[in-house]
Amino acid sequence: MGAACRFGLKNRRGFTLIELMVVLAIIALGTAVVSLALPDGDRNALARDGARLAALLESARAQSRVAGVPVQWRPTAGGFAFDGLPATAPPLPTGWLDARTHALGNAPVTLGPDPIVPAQAIVLQLAGSATPPLRVATDGLRPFGVEAIQQ
């Protein structure tokens, strides 16, 4: 009798079912953790466009108050436009960071020159994405901010 048989080791081949199940469970757990840790690219892109738009609206609102002229924001086919900015003011960007971003509806937003403007909101959405839309809004007194829309 060989040495392997004396010590209880027979010619084992392959893995047991339990060993395979444990390895598969570890792989599944690792995959789940990695997928939860990865950021949602569409959600981040929309949030960046929303935060940028809020900052641009506040900038245009400040320029409107300084110059004493009304300024309006309106969506366009490829982005948005600010109408009524003083000629001496530096031009503001008129395009989205992500080409898929668009504003829902077409109502213009009035940004001044009065210190208190009516409550206004712009809803942003990514075309072809399941990402929920965002609101860039003000109550008229506070600065524009980005809010998630509860569905």
Side-chain angles (χ1 to χ4, degrees):
M1 200 177 263
C5 283
R6 275 188 268 156
F7 296 111
L9 299 175
K10 297 182 181 176
N11 289 336
R12 268 182 39 174
R13 292 186 180 194
F15 299 100
T16 66
L17 182 58
I18 297 294
E19 291 169 332
L20 290 174
M21 297 281 286
V22 167
V23 169
L24 287 176
I26 291 171
I27 290 172
L29 184 63
T31 303
V33 168
V34 168
S35 68
L36 291 175
L38 292 176
D40 182 1
D42 284 349
R43 184 168 296 182
N44 286 342
L46 190 58
R48 275 193 313 272
D49 267 331
R52 179 173 174 254
L53 179 60
L56 290 172
L57 290 169
E58 282 305 310
S59 177
R61 189 177 184 182
Q63 290 178 25
S64 171
R65 289 188 63 201
V66 167
V69 296
V71 173
Q72 282 194 335
W73 176 92
R74 62 181 169 80
T76 62
F80 49 88
F82 291 95
D83 298 325
L85 284 174
T88 58
L92 294 175
T94 59
W96 303 110
L97 296 173
D98 189 316
R100 299 175 299 157
T101 302
H102 65 279
L104 299 178
N106 57 0
V109 173
T110 303
L111 302 169
D114 298 325
I116 299 175
V117 296
Q120 301 174 83
I122 301 165
V123 178
L124 300 181
Q125 190 172 36
L126 277 182
S129 173
T131 302
L134 293 177
R135 275 180 81 218
V136 178
T138 182
D139 63 359
L141 184 59
R142 291 189 198 102
F144 281 89
V146 180
E147 308 166 351
I149 296 178
Q150 303 299 325
Q151 293 184 355

